[in-house]
Amino acid sequence: MCPEALNRGGIMLRLLADRFLLALLGIVALSSVLPVRGALVEPFSIATDIAIALVFFLQGARLSRATVVAGFTHWRLHLMVFAATFVLFPLLGLAAGLLVPTLLSPALYAGILFLCVLPSTIQSSIAFTSIAHGNVSAAVCSASASNILGMFLTPLLVGLLFSARGSGPSLEAVGSILVQLLLPFVVGQVLQPRIGKWVIENGRILGLVDRGSILLVVYIAFSHAVVDGLWHKLSALDLAVMVGVDVVLLALVLAVTTASARLLGFSREDEITIVFCGSKKSLASGVPMAKVIFAGQDTGTILLPLMLFHQIQLMACAVLARHYADRRLKEMDAEEPLPAQA
């Protein structure tokens, strides 16, 4: 792939990230000025339930079962990604509990812990892997499988970790949560052979539906938080600490996944896939999951660390992807034979 194409790909990713970030900031501002109150709460809640079902239905309809099954042959790579996503991150999240209550409030720590048990992203993991010349087919499988497993593991981990802290949903409630999240996905998978091609062909329009659903859930979550006095409870120092914790989390996972991939003898292409799929957390899955899992709680505060982490991971991984791509181009230039002398 030529440098110009790589540059265009990186620029497009940054533009999309910035647009969605602006939309998220706009929704937070709107909910701060015009929060949902009174009689509007119930119809908006029904709308968000429908939006959540639609998000998981579309995820099921997009994922090809053949692709997922075929990709599992590279099981060592996938185990590395799943270990980073569902073991390393949660352990780091538990370690962040040492900052409570001196630097992190219990509500913000709940957001950090929730962030750490979420699955990986799909679209950006694949895009960054492609830009960096990684193993794209393995990235498709690993990121997709992470999201499927996340529908089971995220609620279970929330139930276990939060119950140990005396908060969060009970293990009995996790069963009903799984049904609410899993059923639309299963329906999408059942219909995937019939509608999968149409969903992929109309990905741009349906992507707007995905992002619109996320924005709607964020609007409701922050409306509840604002009504409960979010901006009176949260200081500039709290925001700075959250950014710092998110940056440290991402840096540690990037360092561990890179070092582990090299220590275990993975190829450069596989290392890139492990790094990008294992270090990400999905805002698209996290926002609707938070609404379902933490129903009746302060979801606005819980979502803040995830929203910040989303933008931090995009910026950091854009730089890292360019580094991998530039390194590949330099190696290719060094391998080219010199022209014969006349």
Side-chain angles (χ1 to χ4, degrees):
M1 187 178 291
C2 65
E4 292 78 7
L6 290 170
N7 284 327
R8 287 197 298 270
I11 291 170
M12 285 301 295
L13 270 174
R14 287 192 291 272
L15 285 175
L16 289 174
D18 290 343
R19 287 178 182 175
F20 190 57
L21 173 64
L22 290 175
L24 283 172
L25 293 175
I27 285 296
V28 171
L30 178 63
S31 63
S32 300
V33 178
L34 294 172
V36 177
R37 299 175 183 267
L40 292 176
V41 171
E42 185 175 354
F44 267 92
S45 294
I46 294 172
T48 56
D49 289 340
I50 295 172
I52 289 169
L54 183 59
V55 167
F56 283 92
F57 171 79
L58 289 174
Q59 283 189 8
R62 285 192 189 101
L63 296 180
S64 166
R65 278 166 282 176
T67 300
V68 173
V69 171
F72 269 108
T73 56
H74 206 342
W75 60 270
R76 289 179 67 244
L77 181 149
H78 302 313
L79 280 179
M80 286 284 293
V81 172
F82 300 154
T85 304
F86 297 115
V87 178
L88 176 60
F89 260 112
L91 289 175
L92 292 174
L94 288 173
L98 297 174
L99 302 177
V100 180
T102 52
L103 291 177
L104 278 176
S105 69
L108 291 177
Y109 176 59
I112 294 291
L113 203 54
F114 175 64
L115 154 71
C116 288
V117 299
L118 286 172
S120 179
T121 62
I122 296 180
Q123 288 90 345
S124 62
S125 292
I126 296 169
F128 284 127
T129 300
S130 176
I131 291 171
H133 297 282
N135 188 336
V136 176
S137 61
V140 171
C141 171
S142 202
S144 301
S146 177
N147 272 255
I148 296 171
L149 288 174
M151 283 185 289
F152 297 92
L153 292 180
T154 295
L156 289 173
L157 287 170
V158 167
L160 290 171
L161 299 181
F162 282 68
S163 295
R165 298 174 55 246
S167 61
S170 65
L171 290 177
E172 291 79 14
V174 171
S176 61
I177 292 168
L178 286 174
V179 172
Q180 293 179 60
L181 300 177
L182 187 60
L183 184 58
F185 178 86
V186 171
V187 173
Q189 270 287 285
V190 170
L191 296 177
Q192 196 274 335
R194 293 178 177 271
I195 67 173
K197 183 179 179 181
W198 180 85
V199 168
I200 293 172
E201 289 175 348
N202 293 274
R204 182 172 297 179
I205 295 174
L206 294 176
L208 295 175
V209 175
D210 271 354
R211 290 189 288 274
S213 299
I214 294 169
L215 293 174
L216 177 60
V217 176
V218 169
Y219 180 52
I220 295 297
F222 273 87
S223 290
H224 290 321
V226 168
V227 171
D228 290 338
L230 170 66
W231 301 123
H232 297 291
K233 303 174 186 175
L234 201 64
S235 67
L237 178 60
D238 291 326
L239 289 172
V241 170
M242 271 196 303
V243 171
V245 171
D246 280 349
V247 169
V248 170
L249 274 174
L250 181 60
L252 287 173
V253 174
L254 286 173
V256 171
T257 50
T258 302
S260 300
R262 293 176 182 177
L263 183 65
L264 294 174
F266 284 94
S267 67
R268 171 81 60 80
E269 291 76 14
D270 288 347
E271 173 193 321
I272 290 168
T273 302
I274 291 167
V275 167
F276 286 122
C277 292
S279 63
K280 295 233 182 23
K281 291 296 179 178
S282 175
L283 183 71
S285 297
V287 170
M289 280 185 176
K291 198 269 180 184
V292 175
I293 293 173
F294 300 103
Q297 299 185 47
D298 185 5
T299 51
T301 305
I302 290 172
L303 283 173
L304 271 176
L306 173 60
M307 292 172 63
L308 291 169
F309 189 86
H310 171 77
Q311 186 62 18
I312 292 168
Q313 73 182 5
L314 288 178
M315 292 188 294
C317 289
V319 173
L320 189 58
R322 289 297 310 140
H323 170 75
Y324 273 119
D326 290 342
R327 185 175 173 184
R328 170 70 180 273
L329 288 173
K330 288 178 181 178
E331 290 175 351
M332 291 174 62
D333 290 341
E335 292 172 359
E336 287 184 3
L338 295 174
Q341 297 293 327

